[in-house]
Amino acid sequence: MLRAFLRTAARAARPRTSRPAQDDDVLLDAPDDHLAPALVAAARGESAPAAALLAGTRENAEWEHRDRYATRLAAFARSRSEWLDDWRATAPDDPDALLVAARLTVERHWDSPARTELLRQIAPAVTAAAEAAGPDPVPWRTALDTARGARAGHPEFERLWAQAVRRSPHHYGCHVAALDYLAAASPGAHRECLDFAETAAQDAPEDALVRALPLRAAFICLTTSGHDAAGAHRARLDAAADRAIVLSAARPAADPWPAELRNLLAYVLVRLERHQDAAEQLRLTGPYVTSFPWGRDGDRAADDPLGRFLQVRADVRAAVASARETTGSGHPRSGHGGRVRPGDH
C-alpha cells in the first residue's frame, strides 16, 4: 500500500505535458507539487512537511489551497493517522493540526449509520474551533458541513454562514457547503440552487474559483432530477458550463490544481451531450482524474471512479469521431451547433 502510494506521488511530480493521456498514464487524485511531499512524509510518519505547508497557506491567506490541502491530508489520515496523532500530541494548540483533525473527525462520522447524532455531538466543538481560528474561513467550511450532516435548521446554518462569509466572501469551499445544504434541505429545489450559485459567481472576482459554483449547481440538477426537470433549466446549465470553460481556459493544461474543475466540467458537458466541448476538457486535464464527480456517477462508480472516467472518455472520443464522419469535416461541431473556435467561450 505504501509503495503504491509513493509510486503515485513520484509519477505526479514528473514534468507535465498536454499530450492526450493514455490509460496507463492516468492518475487518480494526484497531489500537486506542494502537497505530494507532505503526503509522502506523512506516509513515513512525519508531520513537519504537512505542518509547514498548512502554516504557509494560513500566513499567506491562501484559503482555497488551504481548504484543499487540509481535506486531502484528512482523507489520508483516515487510513494512516500516526503522523497526525504525533503532531497533535506535540502541538495540541496548533491551528493547522486542529483543522485537519476536525475535518478527519467529520469525515469518519459521515459514514456512520449514526451520522446525524454523532455530528450533533461534535458540532459545538467544531464551531468553537472555527471561532478561535481568527480570519481563517476554512474551519467554517467544516462547521457548515457538520451542520448539514447534523440536519441543523435554517437559523443555525445561516448563523454559521454569516461567520464564514464575513471572513472570506468568495471562498469556494464554504459556498459549496452552503449549496450542498440548500440541495439537501430542499430536494428538487434546482431553481434555488442555480439562483444561489449564479449570484455568488456574479459577485466574485474574475479569477475566483467560486465563479465555477454554477457548474456545481448544474451537477446537482443533473444528478438529482429526471430528464424533464433538467431540460427546464437547459439554458442555465449551458451557461454554467460556458462560464466554467472560460475559467478552465485561463488555467494551465495538464495540471493537478484545476483537475477537479475540468473533470466536473467534462461530466456536465457529457450529460448535456456537448461531446466536442467535453473532449477538449478531457484533453486539457491530461492524466489527472479526480474521484469527484466520477465516484458519484452510476451504481458502481464509487468503487471504481477511474474505471468510470475511462469509460466516459472512450465514449466521448467515439461520439466525436462519429460526428466527424457524419459532417464529413475535420472540424467537429460544439454542442451549440457551431464550429469550435478559441473565442467561442
Side-chain angles (χ1 to χ4, degrees), residues 39-108:
L39 289 173
V40 171
R44 295 171 176 159
E46 303 168 7
S47 62
L53 176 66
L54 289 179
T57 62
R58 174 167 45 84
E59 292 163 1
N60 296 314
E62 296 173 341
W63 306 132
E64 304 296 1
H65 287 80
R66 181 171 178 78
D67 191 7
R68 180 174 296 189
Y69 293 155
T71 300
R72 291 292 303 275
L73 287 164
F76 183 77
R78 291 194 67 172
S79 58
R80 296 290 300 273
S81 64
E82 299 88 349
W83 61 277
L84 180 57
D85 296 337
D86 291 343
W87 184 7
R88 296 193 64 196
T90 57
D93 298 323
D94 188 307
D96 306 314
L98 290 172
L99 175 64
V100 177
R103 193 76 207 174
L104 173 60
T105 300
V106 172
E107 290 184 1
R108 284 175 169 167

Side-chain angles (χ1 to χ4, degrees), residues 166-229:
R166 184 178 302 164
R167 287 158 174 81
S168 180
H170 307 300
H171 181 243
Y172 179 70
C174 288
H175 280 77
V176 167
L179 181 64
D180 288 343
Y181 177 86
L182 179 61
S186 305
H190 301 123
R191 186 181 303 277
E192 291 83 352
C193 288
L194 289 165
D195 287 346
F196 171 77
E198 288 168 1
T199 300
Q202 290 164 4
D203 292 342
E206 286 293 328
D207 60 346
L209 186 57
V210 77
R211 289 182 69 85
L213 195 66
L215 184 71
R216 187 89 177 208
F219 171 82
I220 291 172
C221 185
L222 290 166
T223 55
T224 60
S225 67
H227 180 76
D228 292 342

Side-chain angles (χ1 to χ4, degrees), residues 103 106 110 115-116 119 141-153 157 160 176-185 216 296:
R103 193 76 207 174
V106 172
W110 202 271
R115 175 177 70 191
T116 301
L119 291 178
R141 194 247 175 103
T142 303
L144 291 168
D145 284 336
T146 302
R148 173 166 60 95
R151 299 182 181 177
F157 193 89
L160 300 174
V176 167
L179 181 64
D180 288 343
Y181 177 86
L182 179 61
R216 187 89 177 208
R296 300 191 193 179

Side-chain angles (χ1 to χ4, degrees), residues 284-296:
L284 288 172
T285 201
Y288 298 109
V289 184
T290 54
S291 292
F292 177 80
W294 310 110
R296 300 191 193 179

Side-chain angles (χ1 to χ4, degrees), residues 211-212 215 237-251 261-262 265-266 269 272 274 276-278 280-281 284 334-336 340-345:
R211 289 182 69 85
L215 184 71
L237 303 185
D238 278 321
D242 290 340
R243 189 193 299 267
I245 286 173
V246 173
L247 285 173
S248 173
R251 287 158 170 77
L261 166 65
R262 288 174 174 146
L265 178 52
L269 289 167
L272 296 175
R274 293 172 55 176
Q276 176 57 32
D277 289 333
E280 173 62 8
Q281 295 307 313
L284 288 172
S334 74
H336 293 303
V340 178
R341 299 185 300 273
D344 275 359
H345 305 290

